[in-house]
Each structure stands twice: as structure tokens, then as C-alpha cells.
Amino acid sequence: MEAFWISLGVIFVAELGDKSQLMAMTFATRFKTWTVLLGITVATTVVHLLSVAVGGLIGDALPTTAIAVVAGLAFLGFAIWTLRGDELTEEESKKAQRTTRNALIAVTVAFFLSELGDKTMLATITLATQHGWVGTWIGSTIGMVAADALAIVVGRLLGKHLPEKVIRYGAAAAFAVFGILLLGEALL
């Protein structure tokens, strides 16, 4: 239980103001809340399971530079995709309201990539070297999902008051900044 509570608290605080929290807010303005939260939960569960495995077995042997470069390039791609925008026909719009599979995949992949080599992943690895892996895994996952759920609530409230064009440009800018930061950290 000690590993659970320590991990929950550390990761919740580490996630506040993190880029993935901003992503959660952005996604929450475009997709249903439960879809975004489910995508975050799936990605976080997998990334934190990998983190505790690494922390428990080999500690500090992560190729973070390569991971950061791939994630940075992916974020730049997300920025271009977001700027380009998508126009839906009326039939596609009705279909999009009925299904959330594509949104779930987009959110899950984006969060998975953004968390690889992120401070919360590294914090989880560090915690796993000092505490039990099960408690660390569950606590860190719940801490991150709780922090991002808070961002989703804020994102949903803001999304109702902002024009779609502002949201699209803001999201593209956020993805571009994250991509540049990840590339900068990896290459400098």
C-alpha cells in the first residue's frame, strides 16, 4: 500500500502542468470525455507497466533519445494534421457521432507516444526501483489518470466557450511546441 500511495501522489503532482495534461484538455474539446479518459487510461496502463518492469529489472538503461525523437516527429505530424483540419460530410458526421473507435485509437496512440521518456515515466521507473512494482504501477496509473481527468473537465468547460478555429490553431500550436521540445531535449 505504501508504494501505491507514494506513486499516486508523486505522479499526480508530476503530471500537473505536463504536456499530456494539455493534450487531454485539447482532446476533450474534440471528443467525448469517456473516450479521451479511456484512451488515457489504456496508454497510461501500458506505459506504466513497462516503466515498472524497467525500473524493477534494469533501472537506468533506457534509450530515451531515440524515443524522444520519434515522439517529437509524431507530434509535429499531429500539428500539421490538426492545422489541415478535416471536413466531414453529413453522412460521415452522423457516423462519427455513433462511433468513437478512431478517436479512442488517436488518443491512446498520442498519449502512449507522449509518455515514452516523459518525466512521469522516468518518475515511475525511479519509484519502481525503490518500491513494489504492483503498488507503483497501480498508484502511478491512477495518479496520472486523475490528473488528466482534471484537465479533461477544464478542457470541456473551455471548449464550450471557444470557437472551433481557435481550438484548432491552439491544438496545432501545442502539438508543434511539444514536438519541438521533445526533439530539442533529444538532440541537445
Side-chain angles (χ1 to χ4, degrees):
M1 281 309 285
E2 180 182 353
F4 170 82
W5 289 111
I6 290 171
S7 298
L8 188 147
V10 166
I11 299 304
F12 182 86
V13 171
E15 185 65 8
L16 295 177
D18 193 53
K19 67 179 181 273
S20 53
Q21 207 177 35
L22 297 173
M23 279 181 27
M25 287 172 45
T26 302
F27 278 127
T29 62
R30 298 187 70 192
F31 303 124
K32 292 181 180 179
T33 301
W34 72 268
T35 303
V36 176
L37 193 56
L38 182 59
I40 291 168
T41 303
V42 169
T44 301
T45 300
V46 173
V47 169
H48 287 208
L49 181 59
L50 293 171
S51 299
V52 296
V54 168
L57 297 174
I58 54 175
D60 59 355
L62 267 182
T64 55
T65 301
I67 291 169
V69 168
V70 170
L73 292 173
F75 274 97
L76 291 175
F78 290 147
I80 293 167
W81 186 359
T82 301
L83 263 182
R84 183 187 62 125
D86 290 325
E87 295 294 324
L88 297 177
T89 65
E90 189 173 320
E91 182 181 328
E92 289 172 328
S93 180
K94 288 179 184 175
K95 185 177 180 183
Q97 290 172 352
R98 290 191 309 265
T99 182
T100 57
R101 187 177 70 218
N102 293 335
L104 178 61
I105 291 169
V107 172
T108 301
V109 169
F111 269 85
F112 182 81
L113 289 174
S114 74
E115 287 306 308
L116 291 176
D118 191 54
K119 68 181 175 185
T120 52
M121 179 184 184
L122 298 175
T124 303
I125 291 170
T126 303
L127 289 166
T129 64
Q130 301 168 357
H131 303 284
W133 75 271
V134 174
T136 301
W137 176 42
I138 295 169
S140 65
T141 300
I142 291 173
M144 183 154 163
V145 172
D148 288 338
L150 178 64
I152 288 171
V153 170
V154 171
R156 295 298 283 178
L157 293 173
L158 287 177
K160 293 178 182 176
H161 303 291
L162 293 175
E164 186 177 334
K165 196 174 198 178
V166 170
I167 293 169
R168 187 172 70 221
Y169 289 151
F175 282 130
V177 167
F178 299 147
I180 291 167
L181 288 174
L182 283 169
L183 288 171
E185 287 176 15
L187 301 174
L188 298 178

